[in-house]
Amino acid sequence: MTPTLTPPPETVAFPGADERCDRCSAAAKLRVMIAGGGELVFCGHHANKYADKLVKIAVQVAVDPEFSWRGTELMAS
């Protein structure tokens, strides 16, 4: 059997360098998968501004490794 480089379907990819925030078009730092397969992408400012609401609707999140998202703390509690 040949190994595959395709990530498992349950993983969420980090936002790419060319992706932009759904609110303001700044560089994306957070990707949120929501129930039903929808996806939201936010810059650091909007990701932290809406963190309390995002953790309630998120099925999965992917945070840029260089970004400190406030929602990480909220999800842990």
Side-chain angles (χ1 to χ4, degrees):
M1 179 189 221
T2 307
T4 179
L5 299 177
T6 306
E10 66 274 357
T11 61
V12 179
F14 297 120
D18 61 337
E19 291 187 271
R20 299 291 172 197
C21 176
D22 289 339
R23 295 289 294 166
C24 70
S25 298
K29 300 293 181 187
L30 175 82
R31 179 187 312 277
V32 179
M33 294 296 292
I34 57 177
E39 177 178 287
L40 299 169
V41 180
F42 291 105
C43 66
H45 167 78
H46 286 112
N48 283 327
K49 180 177 181 179
Y50 301 122
D52 57 336
K53 294 177 180 151
L54 292 173
V55 297
K56 292 177 185 176
I57 64 167
V59 174
Q60 291 182 320
V61 297
V63 182
D64 184 310
E66 297 176 4
F67 173 61
S68 178
W69 182 47
R70 188 173 66 93
T72 303
E73 298 169 1
L74 298 172
M75 291 180 85
S77 59

